[in-house]
Amino acid sequence: MKTYNNLYSKLYSYENLFLAYKKARKGKTKKDYVKEFELNLIKNLSELQEELKNQTYRPKPLKKFILRDPKTRKISKANFRDRIVHHALFNIIEPIFDRIFIYDSCANRIGKGNLFALKRFDKFKRKVSNNLRSEAYCVKADIKHYFNEVNHNVLIETIEKKIADKKIINLIKIILKNGNEKENIGMPLGNLTSQFFANIYLNEMDYFVKHKLKAKYYIRYVDDFVILHKSKEQLYLWKEQINKFLNEELKLELHPDKSKIIPLSKGIDFVGFRNLYYYKLLRKRNIRKMLLKIEQNKNKELSYGKLLESHQGWQAYAKWADTYKLRKEIDNSL
């Protein structure tokens, strides 16, 4: 396998840092911390460049907060200058890894996403069920406490299969350690780098499923994945083999309550939709979130402009399900 060296000077080049800054500020131009950084933009980028070049760069502590949406998650927010470093690293190494990811790894990738995963699920569902004329089954699984359990040593070993530049590796170790609550275990939820490293880490599982098990109809979205097959017995066997691989190779395990084998006719919850044979439904929590925003606007807790912005995004998402009447009802309640 080809490895890459002499990448670090590209990472701290002014051109790359400026591009990273533009990506980090996208959608955040009105934030005070962005405006403050921009008051002395050239000076701030030059200082960051010197720190990276001399390997004296150290990230600032992460700001942590709890998000209930609907399940409770601890989100970590990096300082703006550290987000620039994350983008700078991503700019350099993402193209190297993206070309080795499997086609049906769908999260946090250009041209992919949950709607791409949804289309692939529809295609696989038709193939495996003889165009919806016969019953078929699905392993619907996710990985227990995934971001909290990623093993740094395993991750670094995986990255080193492609990246031979020790300075890049050292920077990755610095980013991983920042705000880490357990020694060499876990990644903060919310960082661009964490999302990217999550794909690198589980690419090992993707290869196992596709090349060792020869599972044809497999889709992964972050730590959620599905495998479709005509045989329930085959899926039970694969599920056990995957769990064994995760335990032995990646120090992870499937979530015992959320990893099940389900007939396709009963509907599969995947990437925000309940996928049945002939139609799709939105998850109830997705509907509740939109109704809550309407209520917040009525109570003067949310501006009408912000409500319309949310509504536009929600409509674009909801139209992928069979929601014509629901979308009309929501429209009429604005």
Side-chain angles (χ1 to χ4, degrees), residues 83-125:
R83 277 181 257 169
I84 293 173
V85 174
H86 297 170
H87 278 281
L89 174 66
F90 183 81
N91 289 346
I92 300 301
I93 69 172
E94 185 271 343
I96 293 169
F97 283 97
D98 191 71
R99 65 175 66 104
I100 67 166
F101 290 158
I102 67 165
Y103 186 74
D104 291 309
S105 168
C106 301
N108 309 309
R109 296 179 68 195
I110 296 167
K112 301 292 173 85
N114 54 0
L115 296 180
F116 175 87
L118 191 68
K119 288 178 185 177
R120 294 294 283 174
F121 185 90
D122 281 347
K123 182 177 181 178
F124 291 172
K125 178 179 69 178

Side-chain angles (χ1 to χ4, degrees), residues 1 8 28 31 37 60 74 83 85 118-119 147 155 175 185 191 194 199 204 240-241 247 286 291:
M1 184 183 286
Y8 195 67
K28 306 282 192 303
K31 297 288 186 182
F37 191 89
K60 295 183 182 296
K74 185 186 285 185
R83 277 181 257 169
V85 174
L118 191 68
K119 288 178 185 177
F147 280 87
L155 175 61
I175 292 170
I185 300 288
N191 280 357
S194 297
N199 272 347
E204 301 293 300
E240 291 306 311
Q241 289 173 312
N247 269 265
N286 192 287
L291 293 175

Side-chain angles (χ1 to χ4, degrees), residues 115 118-119 273 280 315-323 327:
L115 296 180
L118 191 68
K119 288 178 185 177
F273 297 87
K280 295 182 195 66
Q315 281 279 2
Y317 186 74
K319 74 177 183 182
W320 287 88
D322 296 272
T323 55
R327 284 183 285 129

Side-chain angles (χ1 to χ4, degrees), residues 6-39:
N6 303 317
L7 299 172
Y8 195 67
S9 59
K10 295 177 184 177
L11 183 145
Y12 68 70
S13 71
Y14 193 85
E15 293 77 13
N16 187 45
L17 289 177
F18 189 75
L19 176 62
Y21 144 73
K22 288 200 292 185
K23 288 182 177 180
R25 78 192 282 269
K26 191 175 181 181
K28 306 282 192 303
T29 54
K30 295 180 181 178
K31 297 288 186 182
D32 289 340
Y33 58 78
V34 175
K35 292 178 181 178
E36 185 182 343
F37 191 89
E38 290 174 335
L39 286 174

Side-chain angles (χ1 to χ4, degrees), residues 313-333:
W314 183 85
Q315 281 279 2
Y317 186 74
K319 74 177 183 182
W320 287 88
D322 296 272
T323 55
Y324 180 78
K325 288 184 180 179
L326 172 65
R327 284 183 285 129
K328 286 294 180 186
E329 288 173 14
I330 296 286
D331 283 350
N332 293 335
S333 67

Side-chain angles (χ1 to χ4, degrees), residues 287-302:
I287 300 168
R288 285 198 298 268
K289 279 170 68 176
M290 192 62 236
L291 293 175
L292 177 61
K293 288 184 186 294
I294 293 170
E295 191 64 31
Q296 287 174 332
N297 172 252
K298 288 177 181 176
N299 295 335
K300 311 296 183 187
E301 297 169 9
L302 184 72

Side-chain angles (χ1 to χ4, degrees), residues 115-286:
L115 296 180
F116 175 87
L118 191 68
K119 288 178 185 177
R120 294 294 283 174
F121 185 90
D122 281 347
K123 182 177 181 178
F124 291 172
K125 178 179 69 178
R126 288 185 175 277
K127 281 182 174 290
V128 80
S129 65
N130 192 25
N131 206 22
L132 310 181
R133 288 195 291 266
S134 59
E135 183 64 281
Y137 301 89
C138 176
V139 170
K140 168 66 176 73
D142 78 1
I143 295 165
K144 187 177 180 183
H145 304 149
Y146 177 49
F147 280 87
N148 291 333
E149 296 298 329
V150 166
N151 185 289
H152 293 186
N153 294 331
V154 174
L155 175 61
I156 293 296
E157 285 173 13
T158 305
I159 293 171
E160 286 177 333
K161 291 177 184 177
K162 294 298 293 179
I163 306 295
D165 190 322
K166 293 300 180 187
K167 291 179 180 178
I168 292 279
I169 297 298
N170 287 337
L171 178 61
I172 291 171
K173 288 177 179 178
I174 288 168
I175 292 170
L176 285 171
K177 285 178 183 176
N178 189 34
N180 194 39
E181 295 176 357
K182 292 192 283 186
E183 186 70 23
N184 289 326
I185 300 288
M187 296 190 298
L189 195 58
N191 280 357
L192 168 69
T193 47
S194 297
Q195 296 168 1
F196 177 56
F197 294 154
N199 272 347
I200 293 174
Y201 202 83
L202 286 183
N203 188 53
E204 301 293 300
M205 180 182 77
D206 296 342
Y207 274 44
F208 175 75
V209 173
K210 294 294 289 183
H211 302 309
K212 289 284 188 350
L213 301 184
K214 308 288 187 185
K216 195 172 181 182
Y217 303 120
Y218 165 76
I219 311 165
R220 181 174 63 80
Y221 191 90
V222 195
D223 60 331
D224 286 348
F225 68 86
V226 291
I227 309 175
L228 285 68
H229 201 277
K230 292 179 181 179
S231 166
K232 187 192 298 185
E233 290 72 25
Q234 179 65 76
L235 290 177
Y236 274 112
L237 177 60
W238 281 346
K239 179 170 170 277
E240 291 306 311
Q241 289 173 312
I242 291 167
N243 203 32
K244 185 173 185 287
F245 175 84
L246 286 171
N247 269 265
E248 293 176 356
E249 302 297 330
L250 300 182
K251 317 302 181 192
L252 298 169
E253 64 176 310
L254 294 178
H255 198 297
D257 301 324
K258 297 179 182 177
S259 302
K260 299 176 180 176
I261 291 160
I262 307 164
L264 287 177
S265 58
K266 287 194 174 180
I268 310 298
D269 274 334
F270 187 54
V271 292
F273 297 87
R274 184 161 174 77
N275 300 274
L276 293 113
Y277 258 27
Y278 299 104
Y279 58 94
K280 295 182 195 66
L281 300 175
L282 268 184
R283 282 180 179 164
K284 289 180 180 178
R285 71 180 184 223
N286 192 287

